């Protein structure tokens, strides 16, 4: 009886949090408040009002910004703390059933116990030190590295065993959420520049055929690289959720409206071996069938082609999956690497890179503005 009472209180509390969260994080873009960005205008396209995926929950009146508490505290750099949090999460899941369970993200990534991080004193957000994103990807993988397995000791992934990992606060069809176009950037100006430079100067080669998954009004591709090389891309196909955004994208040669979350049996509308490079920008945290999407990406990618998945720590909380929310950026890089490794797509040479702008502050080179990371892999 006592266990039943505790369970009832816990479910009630979590459902209250769920209601409160839905009141403050609505589907309307203007009501999603930014965590780090001030309200000052910046040149270029406006920036979407998103929140960080591992926010501290503090309120900052000086900058006119409000942070939203994360669903779980960030993992510290000590192994006992990570084990303690994983135990609490597992224990909570044993007592919670129904919609409230979506509030408890599954944190099972076997990240290095000595990972170095620092906490931004202004926002309270935990950020990776230099080199930690790169070291988040194992040099050799085995089944025990799989955070998506059906058991803690490794095993086959199944959508049913991992359903809680991909639950979302807002489970309504994504077509509703993305029905109105958003002609905004979702990270700040520095991160946009880093993303554009990386894609144009480092990733793409002249004459490439490119697929931009989860595309929008911009693909962050310049006509020429910084060294003067003209890319003259053969094809840039965009697949996204909003026709008006895709139509406005000057880089696209063709585009398709498709909801990658609508069906677990994902089938991209392209022939095998169609592309030399695939982009997935600032959207990996919203996919509820990531392994299926990655496997399909491999199918349409030519042998030796590369996929690049770029992400930050800013998101629409109501649409992000439980595996992502509450994790820090080192976990995020590991998770994306796991998608590529365990999707049975034959990806090799999985690597992570920190593209964030940094400056020296004391002994630490700290991230300036929004962080930006990329995980890449090659089709073997």
């Amino acid at each position: 009886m006592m266990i039943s009472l505790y369970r009832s209180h816990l479910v009630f509390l979590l459902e209250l949090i769920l209601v409160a969260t839905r009141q403050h994080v609505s589907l309307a873009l203007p009501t999603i408040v930014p965590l780090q960005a001030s309200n000052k205008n910046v040149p270029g396209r406006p920036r979407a009002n998103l929140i960080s995926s591992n926010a501290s929950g503090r309120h900052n009146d000086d900058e006119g910004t409000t942070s939203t508490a994360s669903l779980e505290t960030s993992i510290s750099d000590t192994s006992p703390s990570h084990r303690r949090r994983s135990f609490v999460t597992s224990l909570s899941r044993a007592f919670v059933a129904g919609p409230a369970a979506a509030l408890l993200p599954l944190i099972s990534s076997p990240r290095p116990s000595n990972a170095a991080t620092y906490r931004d004193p202004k926002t309270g957000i935990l950020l990776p030190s230099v080199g930690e994103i790169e070291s988040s990807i194992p040099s050799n993988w085995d089944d025990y590295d799989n955070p998506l397995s059906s058991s803690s000791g490794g095993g086959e992934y199944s959508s049913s065993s991992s359903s809680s990992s991909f639950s979302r606060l807002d489970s309504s069809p994504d077509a509703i959420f993305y029905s109105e176009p958003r002609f905004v950037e979702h990270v700040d100006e520095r991160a946009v520049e880093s993303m554009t430079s990386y894609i144009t100067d480092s990733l793409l080669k002249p004459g490439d055929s490119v697929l931009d998954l989860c595309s929008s009004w911009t693909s962050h591709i310049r006509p020429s690289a910084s060294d003067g090389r003209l890319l003259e891309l053969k094809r840039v196909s965009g697949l996204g959720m909003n026709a008006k955004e895709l139509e406005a994208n000057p880089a696209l040669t063709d585009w398709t409206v498709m909801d990658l979350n609508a069906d677990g049996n994902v089938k991209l509308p392209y022939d095998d071996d169609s592309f030399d490079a695939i982009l997935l920008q600032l959207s990996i945290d919203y996919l509820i069938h990531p392994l299926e999407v990655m496997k399909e990406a491999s199918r349409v990618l030519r042998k030796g082609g590369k996929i690049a998945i770029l992400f930050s720590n800013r998101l629409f909380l109501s649409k992000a999956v439980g595996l992502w929310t509450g994790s820090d950026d080192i976990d995020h890089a590991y998770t994306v690497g796991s998608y590529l490794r365990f999707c049975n797509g034959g990806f090799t040479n999985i690597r992570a890179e920190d593209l964030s702008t940094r400056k020296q502050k004391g002994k630490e080179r700290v991230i300036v503005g929004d962080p930006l990371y990329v995980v890449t892999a090659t089709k073997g």
Side-chain angles (χ1 to χ4, degrees), residues 199-210:
I199 292 171
T200 306
D201 298 341
S202 301
L203 180 68
L204 301 182
K205 302 184 299 296
D208 274 350
S209 291
V210 181

Side-chain angles (χ1 to χ4, degrees), residues 287-304:
L287 295 181
I288 64 176
H289 309 295
L291 297 190
E292 292 81 357
V293 173
M294 294 301 102
K295 188 173 183 179
E296 270 294 280
S298 174
R299 179 184 66 80
V300 303
L301 190 63
R302 293 178 181 135
K303 186 174 182 179

Side-chain angles (χ1 to χ4, degrees), residues 189-204 219-222 224-227 229 231 281 310 353 355 357 372:
E189 196 173 39
R190 288 189 187 92
V192 169
E193 175 59 28
S194 294
M195 185 159 45
T196 305
S197 295
Y198 171 79
I199 292 171
T200 306
D201 298 341
S202 301
L203 180 68
L204 301 182
S219 294
H220 303 107
I221 300 173
R222 296 191 187 105
S224 59
S226 58
D227 61 4
R229 289 178 299 118
L231 286 183
Q281 306 173 61
L310 297 107
E353 185 178 353
L355 304 178
T357 301
L372 183 70

Side-chain angles (χ1 to χ4, degrees), residues 79-372:
S79 180
S81 175
H82 174 44
R83 290 197 298 268
R84 181 170 61 253
R85 193 176 73 160
S86 298
F87 170 75
V88 171
T89 302
S90 300
L91 185 63
S92 301
R93 286 185 179 277
F95 285 95
V96 179
L103 286 170
L104 296 175
L106 177 63
I107 307 299
S108 57
S109 303
R111 54 174 284 185
S113 60
N114 61 345
T117 58
Y118 69 94
R119 193 172 295 279
D120 188 317
K122 193 173 184 180
T123 64
I125 296 173
L126 198 66
L127 294 168
S129 297
V130 173
E132 292 304 320
I133 292 297
E134 287 78 1
S135 64
S136 66
I137 304 297
S139 55
N140 296 295
W141 297 80
D142 59 38
D143 287 341
Y144 287 89
D145 294 319
N146 187 357
L148 308 173
S149 63
S150 57
S151 65
S152 59
E156 293 298 319
Y157 162 84
S158 69
S159 57
S160 58
S161 65
S162 299
S163 60
S164 58
S165 300
F166 298 101
S167 297
R168 301 180 295 173
L169 289 174
D170 177 11
S171 59
S172 63
D174 287 349
I176 299 173
F177 187 83
Y178 295 103
S179 60
E180 293 297 323
R182 296 180 173 94
F183 295 104
V184 294
E185 293 286 4
H186 297 286
V187 288
D188 65 20
E189 196 173 39
R190 288 189 187 92
V192 169
E193 175 59 28
S194 294
M195 185 159 45
T196 305
S197 295
Y198 171 79
I199 292 171
T200 306
D201 298 341
S202 301
L203 180 68
L204 301 182
K205 302 184 299 296
D208 274 350
S209 291
V210 181
L211 172 59
D212 185 11
L213 284 177
C214 302
S215 187
S216 64
W217 63 271
T218 176
S219 294
H220 303 107
I221 300 173
R222 296 191 187 105
S224 59
S226 58
D227 61 4
R229 289 178 299 118
L230 290 176
L231 286 183
E232 296 181 332
L233 300 172
K234 182 178 180 181
R235 175 186 183 185
V236 182
S237 299
L239 186 148
M241 288 292 296
N242 188 277
K244 290 182 179 178
E245 290 183 20
L246 296 169
E247 188 177 27
N249 188 331
L252 301 182
T253 58
D254 60 271
W255 52 269
T256 302
V257 174
M258 181 177 177
D259 183 358
L260 295 176
N261 286 339
D263 187 353
N265 186 25
V266 178
K267 180 73 172 178
L268 296 178
Y270 308 106
D271 293 334
D272 295 358
D273 308 318
S274 294
F275 300 100
D276 302 294
I278 295 179
L279 305 173
L280 180 53
Q281 306 173 61
L282 309 180
S283 298
I284 188 67
D285 39 340
Y286 305 126
L287 295 181
I288 64 176
H289 309 295
L291 297 190
E292 292 81 357
V293 173
M294 294 301 102
K295 188 173 183 179
E296 270 294 280
S298 174
R299 179 184 66 80
V300 303
L301 190 63
R302 293 178 181 135
K303 186 174 182 179
K306 183 176 282 189
I307 184 171
I309 302 172
L310 297 107
F311 57 95
S312 183
N313 68 356
R314 298 180 63 81
L315 45 70
F316 293 107
L317 178 63
S318 61
K319 282 297 184 179
V321 299
L323 185 63
W324 196 270
T325 57
S327 301
D328 63 27
D329 294 341
I330 300 173
D331 287 313
H332 293 159
Y334 182 88
T335 297
V336 175
S338 299
Y339 290 166
L340 294 166
R341 172 61 180 82
F342 297 107
C343 72
N344 296 321
F347 285 113
T348 62
N349 194 32
I350 302 171
R351 297 286 184 269
E353 185 178 353
D354 189 342
L355 304 178
S356 308
T357 301
R358 291 180 181 263
K359 70 175 182 180
Q360 194 71 36
K361 188 175 183 180
K363 297 181 179 180
E364 187 78 50
R365 282 189 57 78
V366 300
I367 293 175
V368 180
D370 292 338
L372 183 70

